[in-house]
Amino acid sequence: MELATGAMRSLLPKLVELVEGEYKLQTGVKKDVESLSRELESIEVALAKVAEVPLDKLDKQVRLWATNVKQLSYEMEDIVDSFMVRVEGSEPDADLKRSKRFRKKIANFFKKGKTRHQIADKIQDIKVRVKEVADLRDRYKVDDVHANQAATNTIDPRMINLFKDQKELVGIEEPRKDLIKRLMEGGDVVSNSKLQLKIVSIFGFGGLGKTTLAKAVYDKLQEEFICKAFISVGQKPNLKKAFMDILRQLDKNSYLNATMLDELQLIDELRELLENKRYLIVIDDIWDKSSWNIMKYALIDSNCGSRIITTTRIFEVAEEADDVYKQKPLSSATSKELFYTRLSIGKCKIISGQPIEISGKILQKCGGVPLAIITIASLLASKPWEDWSEVYDSIGFGDGANIHVDNTREILLYSYYDLPCYLRACLLHLSIYPEDHKIQKNTLIWKWVAEGFVHEKPGVGLFELGERYFNELINRSLIQPVEEPYKSIIYACCVHDLVLDMICYLSKEENFVTIHGSSNNEPQPSQSNVRRLAFQNIAMDEEPNSDNTQIHQVRSFNAIMCRVNGRSFLSSFQGLRILSMERCTFINDGCYHLENLGRLLQLRYLGLLGTPITELREEIGNLRFLQVLDLRRTRIKELPESVGQLRRLKCLRLPDDFTGALCWIGNLVLLEEIFLPYVSLEFVKELVKLTELREYGAWFGKSDDAIVDSIVFNNMMKSLEQLEMLQAIQVSCLVGWMHVGRTNCEGYVLSRHLRRLELRVAIEKLPAWLNSSSLPNLSHLTVGPNAVEAQDMEVLGRFPELIYLDLNTDPDVIIPDIMGGGAFPKLRYYFTIGSSRFLQGAMPSLECVQCYIRDERNGAKFERDIASIGNLPCLDRVQVYFFDCESGTREKGEAALRQAIEVHPNNITVKVDYW
């Protein structure tokens, strides 16, 4: 019920700003606002307690109270925001706030008696309603809700997995074999030689079968150990109980004598019992690192070859182990076997006439998650074949009375209710996207910021904080990361259908998002309090309020792959904060622009990715609170000068064929992220003013004049030197690599915060400023030197965080041998023209080698060098591209590659292409 807080977390700082800022509130109104702020802080504490209780266990009166608080908080924030827009809408930047002109404007604003009375009346009305809410809080005993919930805890449905017959398990053989291999590496199960304790953690989201796998391994190995125990910890660990459970399984006599001991005494008891013994212990379902770190003190290492298995949904907990086994979904064949086994058909008894096509769709939706497969199979077991399509269309958290559905929901909800309050709204926000949608990371984080889900912390930017939220959802297995191939850069995420069903169910229950176009998530009957609208792949009416939705209250409007019947649908919105139209089209309308856009004075986010808008009009300058303007893949070629008035803009993304002037860009001093389709001298002169910039990208090559490009590049680099917050620089060319020469790439001092540097420019040699002392955090480097010396490789090898290196040299350049001795400690991906020879100890973490062979000379060197991949212990993939090479060169190169792969101990993936 955390979402009952509504706008509370963003409202409270605004009330403080009203009291402490330069808003010249009347004395009485100011006191009312101060009183409101104190009362709301107290209410927020009560809401935090309500948030810990699952929806189905919450008292109806308490739930109604929380819903009223949510509605009230939204209304209050609307009032405060409208007031701020009226006062500072035309001059919002911080410098103007301190100016005489701004103070004069406020004074004039409050000279109007009508305005003063309006503000006072609304504040007084809100004060009365908050008093009513506070009284109901006491009447409903909301503060006692957490204590009452403790008595309603149900039995963990995962316990049944501990007692399944091994014959029932499907697809367990391979993962069990793999896990045992990892677990026993360095020793065998029968030896009692002195081996160090080894801990392996099984990691994955709820329903993947972590407990089942751990139990299968435990059953297989337990006879080889003197002491063994299998315990479950859970979300709210009781460490004394956990220690007692281990003790009971290890030695019942010690257990009976230890009932009166405290945690410290139990740790001593366990350490004494386990000393000089070879043991196998499984700690199932660990949720927090601190509890696990305490438990480890009891599990002594006597160098007897003891083994510990943990299971967790939290990656930072898994990382505490010596090795992490990432639980994988079942294969297609195994999923099918489990599905039919649960249907009691059996893997070889497929009945003629069975709906194979719908079975495949159902299994695809389950995504290889055993829990999902078992749940769906249980739904279908009692239904005739002809009803399977109907079941598929309604897969999710329906109201069917089915124990498997209830258990599935319960297991997934454990993860949801374990989230801190600030993450729950971020997770439910993902319900605006359709299933199987690839959600861009930066876009998602900026939406969270615009929604008010991310709140400022001293010394931490809003985007950086939102990125932490994003990573935490990944670490908790609730979203799946999508990486750029061979770069270890997470640029997007996906949501498993099982998790998406859960968050859509919760969103509907909380009235968090109203979704149109999803067969599984019909809009709620009551549309009176809609705050977020999501349209997915449907034809939209000209007026979205045709279903009696009160559009003036909507804060977020999201449309994905929709067909819009008109461009004037914005006329009914009043308080919109987010307008996102992704890959939408307009029907029967040849002039593509958005009418009434300038009326959306509260707008924070405007995203038109892939929507054929051709024009933004001058009225966009009215949107003084706009933070994000995303125009990628639109048809906009120019921007009105009024965009230079958007002084709160933090992110600007332009289409690839944009040609307009950006002489006003220096006004946008809060910009953090910008990617340009071209760069001009006028722009780079303004670039130096963008001191908050974190990510910068630009294309060269539109001028058709190499000398001009070289001058612009040089001036651009000088401007980038002044931007101390930069973390990523990406400079690319439309065709090939730009040649700037030695003089244009020496002497720069870039930000020490830089993590990614991509300079697709051909330079004479590696510049002196490219070193680990100047750029200690560099993790990704792309550069094109025309010469590479041995000392250059030594310099590059000293970067402590470098994981990706692309040396796009001239084909004639000979790369020196890559030495060992601790160089390139974290490098995982190495791309180069030609080939390299890896000496013993070189690049110890390297996983992927990619090289381009362009002539016979390169080919001969490749034949000699490729055998050295035997010195790369972590190598997983080799990619070789032959460019315009003669057949003999290709054949010899491939033969040498095959021979090197055959003798390598790893199972290496090989890709060979001819261009």
Side-chain angles (χ1 to χ4, degrees):
M1 199 61 191
E2 179 270 337
L3 297 172
T5 58
M8 189 72 75
R9 293 188 69 210
S10 56
L11 171 62
L12 289 173
K14 290 177 182 179
L15 289 176
V16 172
E17 186 179 349
L18 273 183
V19 174
E20 298 178 353
E22 300 180 15
Y23 291 97
K24 307 289 185 183
L25 292 176
Q26 293 171 286
T27 303
V29 176
K30 189 171 184 177
K31 289 183 177 179
D32 286 341
V33 172
E34 290 173 338
S35 174
L36 276 175
S37 185
R38 288 192 298 270
E39 188 64 58
L40 289 174
E41 286 176 358
S42 176
I43 289 175
E44 188 183 32
V45 173
L47 284 170
K49 294 182 179 180
V50 174
E52 296 180 8
V53 183
L55 282 173
D56 57 350
K57 297 180 178 64
L58 198 60
D59 181 87
K60 289 183 179 180
Q61 287 183 320
V62 173
R63 185 172 177 179
L64 179 63
W65 174 83
T67 300
N68 289 336
V69 172
K70 174 174 68 174
Q71 180 66 16
L72 183 58
S73 71
Y74 280 129
E75 292 177 12
M76 289 182 66
E77 190 180 38
D78 287 344
I79 290 171
V80 172
D81 283 347
S82 296
F83 164 68
M84 289 180 171
V85 166
R86 292 172 67 184
V87 175
E88 60 179 311
S90 63
E91 311 283 5
D93 61 299
D95 291 334
L96 288 173
K97 278 190 178 183
R98 292 189 290 269
S99 70
K100 292 181 179 179
R101 180 180 174 187
F102 183 71
R103 288 193 291 270
K104 183 178 179 181
K105 181 181 176 184
I106 294 176
N108 291 337
F109 182 82
F110 279 100
K111 283 179 181 177
K112 301 175 183 178
K114 183 178 180 181
T115 300
R116 289 202 304 268
H117 288 302
Q118 285 177 344
I119 298 296
D121 290 347
K122 288 183 177 181
I123 293 294
Q124 189 61 38
D125 178 58
I126 290 293
K127 185 179 178 183
V128 171
R129 293 179 61 186
V130 168
K131 180 65 168 61
E132 293 174 355
V133 164
D135 291 343
L136 288 174
R137 168 188 166 192
D138 295 335
R139 186 187 307 172
Y140 296 156
K141 298 182 179 179
V142 172
D143 293 328
D144 298 332
V145 69
H146 180 61
N148 294 339
Q149 191 264 337
T152 65
N153 286 334
T154 56
I155 297 174
D156 189 338
R158 291 165 297 180
M159 287 184 62
I160 193 171
N161 293 328
L162 301 179
F163 304 103
K164 284 184 177 177
D165 193 311
Q166 292 285 323
K167 296 177 182 178
E168 293 184 44
L169 302 179
V170 174
I172 201 71
E173 294 83 5
E174 285 302 316
R176 179 173 60 189
K177 181 180 178 181
D178 189 7
L179 185 56
I180 289 175
K181 181 181 177 181
R182 293 190 186 205
L183 197 66
M184 307 311 300
E185 199 171 36
D188 58 76
V189 289
V190 296
S191 172
N192 197 39
S193 58
K194 291 186 177 181
L195 298 171
Q196 285 186 333
L197 170 69
K198 185 168 186 178
I199 305 173
V200 177
S201 184
I202 306 174
F203 165 74
F205 73 88
L208 270 180
K210 299 182 296 296
T211 300
T212 303
L213 175 58
K215 186 62 164 60
V217 171
Y218 177 80
D219 290 343
K220 187 78 172 178
L221 295 181
Q222 62 171 314
E223 296 303 322
E224 310 296 339
F225 291 82
I226 296 173
C227 300
K228 53 262 186 182
F230 191 118
I231 70 160
S232 185
V233 177
Q235 280 178 287
K236 299 180 179 178
N238 182 328
L239 292 183
K240 181 175 181 178
K241 180 181 182 302
F243 292 140
M244 291 294 290
D245 287 345
I246 296 174
L247 199 59
R248 178 179 56 80
Q249 295 182 51
L250 295 177
D251 187 338
K252 289 186 178 179
N253 291 328
S254 298
Y255 168 76
L256 293 173
N257 296 328
T259 54
M260 301 303 292
L261 301 181
D262 60 23
E263 285 89 344
L264 288 175
Q265 292 169 324
L266 284 169
I267 288 175
D268 289 336
E269 186 78 14
L270 282 170
R271 289 176 66 89
E272 183 178 344
L273 184 63
L274 293 174
E275 189 171 8
N276 297 322
K277 291 188 178 69
R278 190 166 188 264
Y279 60 83
L280 172 66
I281 296 178
V282 177
I283 313 291
D284 182 43
D285 197 31
I286 306 174
W287 288 77
D288 71 277
K289 192 163 61 174
S290 58
S291 297
W292 171 231
N293 285 333
I294 294 173
M295 293 187 70
K296 282 193 290 188
Y297 286 117
L299 306 175
I300 191 172
D301 180 9
S302 298
N303 290 321
C304 296
S306 297
R307 297 294 184 261
I308 298 173
I309 302 172
T310 67
T311 74
T312 182
R313 308 183 192 191
I314 315 298
F315 190 66
E316 67 173 8
V317 174
E319 285 185 309
E320 293 294 299
D322 301 314
D323 190 10
V324 178
Y325 179 85
K326 294 183 179 181
Q327 182 85 332
K328 297 177 181 177
L330 300 179
S331 67
S332 177
T334 307
S335 296
K336 189 174 182 180
E337 181 182 349
L338 177 60
F339 181 65
Y340 287 116
T341 299
R342 293 295 170 176
L343 281 171
S344 300
I345 294 176
K347 57 184 176 182
C348 298
K349 300 178 182 178
I350 299 176
I351 299 173
S352 177
Q354 171 197 346
I356 300 296
E357 183 178 348
I358 191 63
S359 300
K361 289 183 178 180
I362 289 171
L363 287 173
Q364 184 177 8
K365 188 174 182 67
C366 292
V369 177
L371 183 66
I373 296 169
I374 292 169
T375 298
I376 301 306
S378 72
L379 288 173
L380 297 174
S382 60
K383 296 182 181 293
W385 303 117
E386 55 270 19
D387 290 348
W388 281 26
S389 292
E390 183 180 344
V391 173
Y392 172 77
D393 291 337
S394 62
I395 284 176
F397 293 108
D399 296 325
N402 185 290
I403 187 172
H404 293 290
V405 173
D406 292 340
N407 286 348
T408 302
R409 182 188 303 172
E410 195 77 22
I411 289 171
L412 291 175
L413 286 175
Y414 283 157
S415 289
Y416 174 75
Y417 286 111
D418 185 63
L419 290 174
C421 290
Y422 60 84
L423 280 183
R424 295 187 192 175
C426 293
L427 180 64
L428 292 205
H429 177 260
L430 297 173
S431 61
I432 69 172
Y433 296 100
E435 63 183 47
D436 302 323
H437 192 79
K438 190 180 292 184
I439 305 166
Q440 299 292 313
K441 170 186 167 181
N442 284 22
T443 299
L444 178 63
I445 292 173
W446 283 124
K447 283 186 178 180
W448 288 347
V449 170
E451 285 272 13
F453 300 154
V454 183
H455 300 275
E456 292 186 6
K457 283 188 176 181
V460 184
L462 288 173
F463 184 89
E464 183 182 351
L465 197 56
E467 194 170 28
R468 293 181 187 179
Y469 293 0
F470 181 88
N471 292 335
E472 193 165 352
L473 289 176
I474 289 176
N475 291 338
R476 289 170 174 268
S477 307
L478 287 166
I479 60 178
Q480 300 167 323
V482 180
E483 292 189 358
E484 287 188 41
Y486 317 120
K487 282 194 175 181
S488 290
I489 295 176
I490 297 173
Y491 73 95
C493 71
C494 291
V495 184
H496 191 281
D497 286 349
L498 206 60
V499 177
L500 182 61
D501 282 333
M502 176 191 73
I503 62 179
C504 287
Y505 160 77
L506 289 168
S507 290
K508 184 177 179 180
E509 289 295 304
E510 293 277 11
N511 192 20
F512 185 74
V513 179
T514 298
I515 305 171
H516 296 258
S518 171
S519 59
N520 299 337
N521 303 286
E522 295 300 327
Q524 298 178 67
S526 173
Q527 303 291 301
S528 59
N529 295 322
V530 173
R531 295 291 172 175
R532 297 174 186 86
L533 282 173
F535 293 83
Q536 302 171 358
N537 197 24
I538 61 171
M540 290 166 42
D541 292 327
E542 175 122 1
E543 296 296 337
N545 61 346
S546 58
D547 62 351
N548 296 321
T549 299
Q550 292 188 15
I551 291 299
H552 69 276
Q553 294 186 133
V554 172
R555 290 168 161 246
S556 176
F557 180 91
N558 299 271
I560 298 175
M561 295 179 291
C562 291
R563 300 168 300 286
V564 184
N565 289 329
R567 62 173 190 263
S568 61
F569 65 92
L570 300 178
S571 59
S572 300
F573 293 107
Q574 295 179 12
L576 204 64
R577 269 77 166 171
I578 291 180
L579 174 58
S580 176
M581 299 177 67
E582 183 176 329
R583 289 182 286 168
C584 294
T585 57
F586 291 87
I587 302 173
N588 300 324
D589 193 348
C591 182
Y592 298 140
H593 67 273
L594 295 175
E595 294 180 358
N596 304 303
L597 182 62
R599 297 183 183 180
L600 307 180
L601 301 181
Q602 299 282 4
L603 204 65
R604 269 73 169 167
Y605 181 101
L606 176 58
L608 302 172
L609 174 66
T611 299
I613 300 292
T614 59
E615 179 187 6
L616 288 180
R617 297 185 171 179
E618 284 288 336
E619 63 177 356
I620 192 174
N622 297 339
L623 311 182
R624 302 305 176 83
F625 289 85
L626 196 67
Q627 296 173 322
V628 178
L629 181 57
D630 187 354
L631 304 176
R632 289 172 298 165
R633 302 210 302 272
T634 63
R635 298 177 185 174
I636 294 173
K637 297 184 183 298
E638 295 183 350
L639 288 176
E641 287 193 14
S642 60
V643 174
Q645 300 172 17
L646 306 179
R647 310 269 177 102
R648 279 190 169 92
L649 204 64
K650 293 178 178 291
C651 174
L652 176 61
R653 299 169 178 167
L654 299 173
D656 291 342
D657 56 352
F658 183 86
T659 57
L662 298 174
C663 55
W664 37 260
I665 199 74
N667 295 334
L668 309 182
V669 294
L670 297 183
L671 267 181
E672 297 182 20
E673 181 182 329
I674 187 170
F675 196 94
L676 304 167
Y678 76 98
V679 184
S680 65
L681 275 174
E682 292 76 18
F683 169 79
V684 298
K685 290 176 183 177
E686 296 290 300
L687 179 60
V688 71
K689 300 176 183 178
L690 308 183
T691 55
E692 298 295 316
L693 210 60
R694 289 181 301 99
E695 294 196 21
Y696 172 79
W699 288 89
F700 278 83
K702 285 194 175 182
S703 69
D704 296 324
D705 189 329
I707 296 177
V708 171
D709 280 342
S710 183
I711 294 171
V712 172
F713 176 83
N714 188 40
N715 281 273
M716 179 190 72
M717 294 298 290
K718 289 180 178 177
S719 293
L720 292 177
E721 281 189 287
Q722 309 302 314
L723 308 182
E724 298 181 356
M725 305 299 290
L726 271 176
Q727 295 180 16
I729 297 174
Q730 180 182 348
V731 178
S732 302
C733 293
L734 293 176
V735 180
W737 287 56
M738 181 175 67
H739 292 263
V740 298
R742 178 181 179 183
T743 56
N744 282 354
C745 215
E746 285 289 354
Y748 303 124
V749 181
L750 297 177
S751 167
R752 292 178 62 83
H753 297 289
L754 204 64
R755 299 178 184 276
R756 302 200 302 272
L757 177 61
E758 182 176 327
L759 293 179
R760 294 192 174 274
V761 296
I763 55 180
E764 183 175 331
K765 65 176 185 178
L766 287 176
W769 53 265
L770 194 57
N771 62 74
S772 57
S773 298
S774 300
L775 303 172
N777 298 305
L778 196 67
S779 60
H780 293 74
L781 174 62
T782 298
V783 68
N786 291 331
V788 180
E789 306 294 338
Q791 61 265 28
D792 294 329
M793 298 305 293
E794 291 177 10
V795 169
L796 293 174
R798 295 192 194 106
F799 281 99
E801 301 299 326
L802 194 65
I803 62 175
Y804 174 92
L805 175 61
D806 184 353
L807 282 179
N808 211 303
T809 61
D810 188 273
D812 293 330
V813 173
I814 302 298
I815 304 294
D817 292 345
I818 299 175
M819 308 296 289
F824 299 100
K826 292 186 179 181
L827 195 72
R828 296 174 59 192
Y829 308 104
Y830 176 55
F831 296 178
T832 183
I833 302 294
S835 61
S836 300
R837 189 160 71 105
F838 306 95
L839 302 186
Q840 188 70 38
M843 298 183 176
S845 302
L846 196 67
E847 298 174 11
C848 178
V849 172
Q850 178 174 295
C851 52
Y852 297 81
I853 310 303
R854 295 194 173 186
D855 53 32
E856 187 175 351
R857 181 187 177 194
N858 277 170
K861 187 174 186 300
F862 175 76
E863 290 176 46
R864 296 191 300 269
D865 290 346
I866 192 62
S868 68
I869 64 172
N871 294 323
L872 302 174
C874 294
L875 192 63
D876 180 68
R877 187 178 183 90
V878 176
Q879 299 179 185
V880 182
Y881 298 91
F882 291 96
F883 283 82
D884 298 325
C885 292
E886 295 181 358
S887 58
T889 300
R890 295 198 305 263
E891 290 170 2
K892 291 178 183 178
E894 283 194 72
L897 175 60
R898 283 195 301 270
Q899 184 177 356
I901 296 300
E902 286 174 1
V903 299
H904 200 287
N906 297 348
N907 184 21
I908 296 175
T909 301
V910 179
K911 180 180 180 182
V912 178
D913 275 344
Y914 310 107
W915 289 9

